[in-house]
C-alpha cells in the first residue's frame, strides 16, 4: 500500500463524512421545527420514547445528533431527564439503519434489479437528480431534498473509495498482524471507542469497519469488540455538547454514557462466557458488511430491551454523579406541589398553584435584577444565574400551565375559577419578563465584549430608569402574590412614568450623538436596554390590570385602560406625579 493509497483512503473518508453530514443537514431542514415538537411531545411513556428515538435517528442518520438535540431540550427545560432516557436508548437502535444501508454494497447477483439495489450503482442516479434539484429548482424544500440525495451519493462514493484504497492491505502480512491484535477484547474495544470519539459518529466508524472488510482480514472475533467500543465512543459528542449546559443536561449526557457502558459490559461478558462454553465457529470467519450490520443491530436492540426496565436506575445514577444543590432541590420541592392527586380537591390544588406561581414571579424578579446589575459590573457567574433562572421560569410556566388546564376542567367555585384565570394570564407575562432579563444580559455582554462605555450622563439616566423598572416589578410581584387589587392601582401610573423615561432617555441620547458626545455603538446598546426596560413595564401593566379586573370577574385590559381617569386631582394623577418626581432624570 503506497502513500497514494493512504491519501485515497483519507479522501474517501472525507467524502464519506461530508456526505453523511450533508444528508443529515438536509433531512433536518426538511423536518424543520416539527422535529423538535415531536421529540418534546411524544415521550409520554418509555416505550414510545424509544420508538421515537429510533425513528428520528433513522431519519437524520446520526445517534450523536439525536442525543445532542435531546441534551439541548433538557438544558432548555423543554424535556425532563426521565423523558430523554427512552429517546437516548432508541437513538442507539436507530443508528444501525446506516450500517444496513451500507451493507447493501455487498450484494452479489447477475440480476439487473438486484445489482441496482447496490447503493454504489444507484448513487450516481441520485447524484444527478440531487444536483438538478439544487441548481435548477427554486423551491427551498426541493433544494433540501436535492441536498439529501447528493449527501447520500457522496457518502457512497466515499465508501467505495475507502474500500478500494484498503483492498491492497489484504496482501500485507504486517497489517493482518496489527488487526489480529484487536481480537483482544479490551484492545478492540479501546480501538473502536477512540476511532468513534475522534470522528464523532458511530455510524461513520461502523462504515469504516465495513469498508475494511474488503481486505478479508477482519474476522468476527476482531470486529465484535471494536463494535462494542464504537458504542462507547459515540458518547463523546453528547458529553462535549453538555459542556457549559445546566446540570440536567449534563445528567442526560451521562445517561447516554452509562447506558452504553453497561450495555457493552453485559454484552461482552455474556458473549465471551457463551463462547467459552459452546465455542462459536463463526468467530474466526472473515466478516462482511452485512455481518457487521447484524452484530451492530443485535447489540443495540438487546441492550435497549435489557436496560429499558432500569431507566429509573440510570436516572438515579446520573443524579448521584451530579448531585443536586440546595437551590435546585428547593425548586424541585416547589414543583412537587403540583401533584395530580390534589386535582380531586380543587380548592387545595388552587392554593398550591398560587404558591408555585408566586415562586415563578420571584424568579423572574431575581433574573431581571441580576441582569440589570450586569450592565455596569459584568460577572460570568451572575450571567449564568440569569440564564438558569430563565430556564426555570420556562419550566414553571410549562408545568403550571398544564396543571391549571387540567384543574380548570374540575368542579370549581366561582372564586377558584377566577384565580385560575388570573394565574394563567399572568404566568405568561412573568415568563416574558424573564426573557427580557436574558435580552438585557446579552446586551450587557455585547457592551463588555466591545469594551463600550457610556457617558457619565447616560450612566446616571440608566440608573434612574432601571430603578423605576425594578420598582414596578417589585410592586407587581407583591400585587400578584397577595392578589392586592388596591396596590395594583399604583402599577399603571408607574408604567406611564417608565414610558416617559424611555422616550426622554432615547431623546437625550440623540442629542448627545448630534453633539459628538456619544458613539453610535454605545447608542445601539443603550437603545436595546431602554426598549427591554419599557417592555418589562408593559408586562407588569398587564399583570396589574389582570389582578384588578379578574377580582371584578372580567378581563378586558384595553377597555379598563380606556376608562382610567387621568385628569388632574384624580388618584391616578396624584400617583403618577409622585413617581414622576421620584424618578426624575438628572
Amino acid at each position: 500500500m503506497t502513500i497514494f493509497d493512504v491519501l485515497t483512503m483519507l479522501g474517501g473518508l472525507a467524502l464519506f463524512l461530508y456526505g453523511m453530514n450533508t444528508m443529515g443537514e438536509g433531512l433536518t431542514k426538511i423536518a424543520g421545527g416539527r422535529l423538535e415538537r415531536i421529540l418534546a411531545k411524544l415521550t409520554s411513556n418509555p416505550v414510545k420514547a424509544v420508538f421515537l428515538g429510533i425513528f428520528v435517528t433513522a431519519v437524520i442518520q446520526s445517534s450523536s445528533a439525536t442525543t445532542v438535540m435531546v441534551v439541548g431540550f433538557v438544558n432548555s427545560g423543554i424535556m425532563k431527564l426521565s423523558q430523554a432516557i427512552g429517546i437516548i436508548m432508541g437513538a442507539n437502535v436507530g443508528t444501525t439503519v446506516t450500517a444496513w444501508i451500507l451493507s447493501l454494497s455487498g450484494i452479489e447477483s447477475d440480476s439487473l434489479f438486484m445489482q441496482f439495489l447496490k447503493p454504489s450503482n444507484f448513487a450516481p442516479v441520485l447524484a444527478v437528480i440531487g444536483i438538478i434539484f439544487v441548481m435548477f429548482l427554486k423551491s427551498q424544500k426541493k433544494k433540501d431534498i436535492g441536498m439529501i440525495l447528493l449527501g447520500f451519493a457522496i457518502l457512497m462514493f466515499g465508501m467505495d473509495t475507502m474500500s478500494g484504497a484498503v483492498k491492497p492491505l489484504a496482501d500485507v502480512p504486517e497489517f493482518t498482524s496489527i488487526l489480529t491484535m484487536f481480537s483482544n477484547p479490551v484492545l478492540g474495544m479501546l480501538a473502536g471507542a477512540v476511532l468513534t470519539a475522534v470522528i464523532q459518529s458511530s455510524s461513520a466508524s461502523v462504515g469504516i469497519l465495513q469498508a475494511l472488510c474488503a481486505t478479508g482480514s477482519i474476522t468476527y472475533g476482531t470486529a465484535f469488540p471494536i463494535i462494542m467500543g464504537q458504542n462507547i465512543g459515540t458518547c463523546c459528542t453528547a458529553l462535549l455538547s453538555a459542556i457549559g449546559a445546566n446540570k440536567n443536561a449534563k445528567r442526560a449526557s451521562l445517561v447516554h454514557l452509562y447506558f452504553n457502558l453497561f450495555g457493552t459490559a453485559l454484552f461482552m461478558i455474556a458473549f465471551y462466557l457463551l463462547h467459552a462454553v459452546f465455542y462459536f465457529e463463526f468467530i474466526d470467519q472473515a466478516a462482511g458488511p452485512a455481518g457487521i450490520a447484524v452484530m451492530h443491530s443485535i447489540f443495540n436492540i438487546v441492550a435497549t430491551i435489557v436496560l429499558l426496565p432500569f431507566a429509573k436506575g440510570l436516572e438515579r445514577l446520573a443524579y448521584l454523579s451530579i448531585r443536586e444543590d440546595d437551590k435546585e432541590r428547593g425548586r424541585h420541592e416547589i414543583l412537587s406541589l403540583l401533584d395530580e392527586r390534589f386535582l380531586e380537591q380543587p380548592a387545595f390544588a388552587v392554593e398550591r398553584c398560587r404558591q408555585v406561581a408566586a415562586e415563578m414571579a420571584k424568579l423572574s424578579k431575581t433574573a431581571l435584577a441580576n441582569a440589570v446589575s450586569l450592565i455596569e459590573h459584568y460577572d460570568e457567574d451572575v450571567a449564568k444565574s440569569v440564564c438558569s433562572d430563565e430556564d426555570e421560569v420556562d419550566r414553571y410556566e410549562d408545568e403550571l400551565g398544564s396543571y391549571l388546564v387540567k384543574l380548570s376542567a374540575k368542579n370549581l367555585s366561582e372564586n377558584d375559577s377566577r384565580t385560575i384565570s388570573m394565574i394563567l394570564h399572568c404566568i405568561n407575562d412573568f415568563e416574558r419578563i424573564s426573557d427580557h432579563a436574558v435580552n438585557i444580559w446579552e446586551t450587557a455582554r455585547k457592551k463588555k465584549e466591545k469594551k463600550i462605555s457610556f457617558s457619565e450622563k447616560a450612566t446616571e439616566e440608566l440608573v434612574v430608569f432601571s430603578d423605576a423598572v425594578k420598582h414596578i416589578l417589585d410592586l407587581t410581584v407583591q400585587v400578584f402574590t397577595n392578589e392586592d387589587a388596591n396596590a395594583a392601582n399604583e402599577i399603571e401610573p408607574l408604567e406611564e412614568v417608565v414610558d416617559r423615561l424611555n422616550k426622554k432617555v432615547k431623546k437625550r441620547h440623540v442629542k448627545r450623538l448630534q453633539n459628538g458626545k456619544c458613539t453610535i455603538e454605545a447608542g445601539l446598546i443603550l437603545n436595546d436596554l431602554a426598549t427591554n426596560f419599557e417592555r418589562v413595564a408593559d408586562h407588569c401593566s398587564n399583570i396589574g390590570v389582570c389582578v384588578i379586573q379578574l377580582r371584578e370577574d372580567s378581563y378586558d385590559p384595553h377597555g379598563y385602560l380606556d376608562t382610567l381617569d387621568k385628569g388632574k386631582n384624580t388618584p391616578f394623577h396624584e400617583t403618577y406625579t409622585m413617581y414622576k418626581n421620584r424618578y426624575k432624570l438628572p
Side-chain angles (χ1 to χ4, degrees):
M1 189 175 183
T2 66
I3 183 65
F4 298 107
D5 290 324
V6 174
L7 292 174
T8 302
M9 184 185 71
L10 292 175
L13 174 62
L15 286 173
F16 180 81
L17 294 173
Y18 177 72
M20 184 170 290
N21 182 65
T22 302
M23 184 171 63
E25 284 184 0
L27 286 163
T28 304
K29 285 180 182 178
I30 286 288
R34 288 174 294 175
L35 193 62
E36 295 182 10
R37 292 194 292 273
I38 290 168
L39 281 171
K41 292 178 181 178
L42 301 183
T43 51
S44 55
N45 66 58
V47 176
K48 277 186 181 179
V50 168
F51 279 106
L52 184 59
I54 292 172
F55 172 76
V56 172
T57 307
V59 167
I60 66 174
Q61 297 283 294
S62 174
S63 61
S64 298
T66 303
T67 308
V68 167
M69 261 193 289
V70 168
V71 169
F73 293 146
V74 173
N75 185 52
S76 64
I78 294 173
M79 187 181 290
K80 297 177 184 176
L81 180 60
S82 57
Q83 292 174 297
I85 294 173
I87 295 178
I88 290 169
M89 290 181 175
N92 276 36
V93 177
T95 195
T96 63
V97 171
T98 308
W100 281 106
I101 293 172
L102 297 175
S103 72
L104 294 175
S105 60
I107 293 174
E108 297 292 341
S109 173
D110 293 332
S111 165
L112 181 65
F113 175 74
M114 291 300 292
Q115 282 295 309
F116 197 72
L117 284 178
K118 292 179 68 172
S120 58
N121 290 338
F122 67 73
V125 178
L126 297 183
V128 172
I129 297 171
I131 200 67
I132 291 171
F133 275 36
V134 170
M135 294 189 68
F136 300 108
L137 299 182
K138 294 181 179 179
S139 167
Q140 186 58 49
K141 186 175 182 180
K142 289 177 181 174
K143 285 181 182 289
D144 291 336
I145 292 171
M147 289 301 295
I148 295 168
L149 300 178
L150 276 175
F152 184 80
I154 293 169
L155 182 151
M156 289 315 306
F157 279 124
M159 182 74 179
D160 280 350
T161 304
M162 280 193 295
S163 299
V166 298
K167 271 183 181 177
L169 289 175
D171 302 321
V172 180
E174 291 81 6
F175 180 75
T176 306
S177 63
I178 290 171
L179 286 177
T180 307
M181 288 173 53
F182 295 136
S183 297
N184 179 301
V186 176
L187 288 176
M189 186 177 68
L190 287 173
V194 171
L195 173 66
T196 309
V198 168
I199 65 176
Q200 300 279 293
S201 172
S202 62
S203 297
S205 62
V206 170
I208 292 167
L209 186 61
Q210 287 175 303
L212 287 172
C213 288
T215 65
S217 302
I218 303 288
T219 65
Y220 285 108
T222 302
F224 177 74
I226 294 175
I227 291 171
M228 297 298 100
Q230 286 168 339
N231 285 278
I232 296 173
T234 194
C235 301
C236 178
T237 310
L239 291 169
L240 288 173
S241 73
I243 294 174
N246 64 29
K247 288 187 175 183
N248 257 345
K250 289 183 173 70
R251 291 179 189 123
S253 66
L254 280 179
V255 165
H256 187 217
L257 176 63
Y258 291 149
F259 170 71
N260 283 293
L261 281 175
F262 288 137
T264 298
L266 290 170
F267 211 79
M268 288 187 74
I269 291 169
F271 180 83
Y272 286 109
L273 280 176
L274 290 171
H275 175 58
V277 175
F278 300 106
Y279 186 75
F280 301 134
E281 291 185 3
F282 71 86
I283 205 166
D284 296 319
Q285 296 174 3
I292 298 296
V294 169
M295 293 176 74
H296 193 218
S297 297
I298 289 174
F299 165 73
N300 284 291
I301 292 169
V302 171
T304 300
I305 291 171
V306 170
L307 292 176
L308 184 58
F310 301 99
K312 288 289 183 185
L314 289 173
E315 185 179 359
R316 281 195 293 270
L317 183 58
Y319 272 99
L320 286 172
S321 302
I322 301 178
R323 295 183 178 276
E324 294 176 297
D325 54 28
D326 292 338
K327 186 176 181 182
E328 187 181 11
R329 193 175 296 111
R331 288 175 181 177
H332 288 172
E333 287 172 2
I334 288 292
L335 285 172
S336 69
L337 294 174
L338 304 179
D339 192 322
E340 295 206 5
R341 290 172 293 185
F342 298 140
L343 290 173
E344 301 309 317
Q345 299 174 299
F348 187 64
V350 168
E351 182 56 33
R352 292 291 183 104
C353 290
R354 288 181 69 251
Q355 293 176 43
V356 175
E359 184 64 25
M360 177 183 173
K362 290 174 188 174
L363 271 176
S364 296
K365 184 176 80 169
T366 302
L368 183 82
N370 285 334
V372 169
S373 73
L374 294 170
I375 297 170
E376 284 304 313
H377 306 287
Y378 194 89
D379 181 276
E380 200 58 50
D381 290 335
V382 176
K384 286 180 181 177
S385 75
V386 172
C387 295
S388 174
D389 287 340
E390 194 272 337
D391 286 341
E392 286 300 317
V393 169
D394 285 348
R395 185 180 173 197
Y396 274 52
E397 185 197 26
D398 182 46
E399 297 204 16
L400 186 55
S402 299
Y403 192 84
L404 285 167
V405 168
K406 292 176 185 176
L407 184 56
S408 63
K410 301 297 179 181
N411 187 19
L412 301 168
S413 68
E414 187 177 341
N415 185 58
D416 286 341
S417 183
R418 283 201 301 267
T419 300
I420 288 175
S421 182
M422 180 195 70
I423 295 172
L424 277 169
H425 278 100
C426 293
I427 59 175
N428 179 64
D429 284 295
F430 281 121
E431 190 275 331
R432 293 295 297 129
I433 288 169
S434 71
D435 288 343
H436 287 300
V438 170
N439 293 345
I440 292 167
W441 155 65
E442 289 174 343
T443 304
R445 185 183 63 185
K446 287 179 190 174
K447 177 176 177 287
K448 175 181 178 289
E449 289 173 351
K450 295 181 179 180
K451 298 180 180 178
I452 294 171
S453 297
F454 292 135
S455 66
E456 187 178 338
K457 273 289 181 186
T459 302
E460 290 174 355
E461 289 166 8
L462 273 178
V463 168
V464 174
F465 198 173
S466 62
D467 284 348
V469 172
K470 286 189 285 187
H471 185 162
I472 195 172
L473 184 53
D474 287 344
L475 180 61
T476 301
V477 171
Q478 175 192 330
V479 164
F480 175 76
T481 303
N482 301 327
E483 294 185 28
D484 189 343
N486 292 326
N489 289 314
E490 292 189 25
I491 293 175
E492 196 56 36
L494 183 50
E495 193 273 337
E496 291 214 0
V497 170
V498 171
D499 282 349
R500 180 173 177 273
L501 287 170
N502 181 46
K503 291 173 185 175
K504 292 195 76 173
V505 165
K506 289 179 178 178
K507 188 176 179 180
R508 288 189 179 192
H509 159 66
V510 171
K511 285 185 178 179
R512 283 193 294 271
L513 194 61
Q514 290 170 342
N515 295 331
K517 295 180 181 179
C518 182
T519 66
I520 292 175
E521 277 194 324
L524 291 172
I525 295 289
L526 187 143
N527 186 72
D528 284 346
L529 291 172
T531 299
N532 279 288
F533 284 168
E534 190 269 335
R535 287 178 181 168
V536 167
D538 286 344
H539 289 293
C540 290
S541 170
N542 292 343
I543 295 165
V545 171
C546 185
V547 171
I548 292 169
Q549 289 225 292
L550 289 172
R551 287 301 94 190
E552 300 169 1
D553 197 20
S554 64
Y555 184 65
D556 179 15
H558 297 296
Y560 167 78
L561 295 175
D562 289 341
T563 62
L564 279 177
D565 185 356
K566 300 179 182 180
K568 289 185 179 180
N569 303 318
T570 63
F572 181 95
H573 186 266
E574 290 172 3
T575 307
Y576 170 77
T577 304
M578 177 189 71
Y579 283 129
K580 186 178 74 171
N581 292 332
R582 181 183 300 184
Y583 296 109
K584 188 180 291 185
L585 292 178

